[in-house]
Amino acid sequence: MPESARAQNPAIAVPATDPATIAPAIEAILLSTDKPVSMARLAEALRLDGGRAASQGDDDAPADAAAGEPSASAGIVVRRAIDHLNGAYEQTGRSFR
């Protein structure tokens, strides 16, 4: 990608695993549902586990396999993004965390 394209769109230059970059997506997911969302589902929605959706791959896998734990690296990324959100909420005095 040409450097000029990165300069015009800073989001392109930031890796998708940067907590500050994915925090808004996590926030949107969490605030748009009335049910808890597991870290595995967040990682899946953000394609942090190699882009593999729960419905793809092994047909013998249980239907609720995505409700398990994300990979260690995906879990760390999700946890850091949630920590980033909590820090922003605390700094701005928002009541939810």
Side-chain angles (χ1 to χ4, degrees):
M1 172 177 297
E3 194 62 37
S4 61
R6 286 192 184 113
Q8 291 173 357
N9 188 349
I12 294 172
V14 179
T17 57
D18 177 52
T21 301
I22 65 169
I26 289 177
E27 181 179 46
I29 292 167
L30 295 175
L31 294 178
S32 65
T33 183
D34 60 348
K35 296 180 181 172
V37 181
S38 70
M39 286 184 42
R41 289 285 187 197
L42 290 170
E44 176 188 352
L46 298 170
R47 299 197 178 272
L48 297 176
D49 275 333
R52 182 177 174 193
S55 60
Q56 296 174 343
D58 188 1
D59 290 336
D60 295 329
D64 61 351
E69 292 297 317
S71 71
S73 61
I76 290 169
V77 171
V78 170
R79 177 79 260 164
R80 286 181 180 162
I82 291 170
D83 291 343
H84 177 82
L85 284 171
N86 283 331
Y89 297 156
E90 188 173 336
Q91 286 178 349
T92 57
R94 291 185 243 176
S95 61
F96 52 90
R97 288 181 20 161

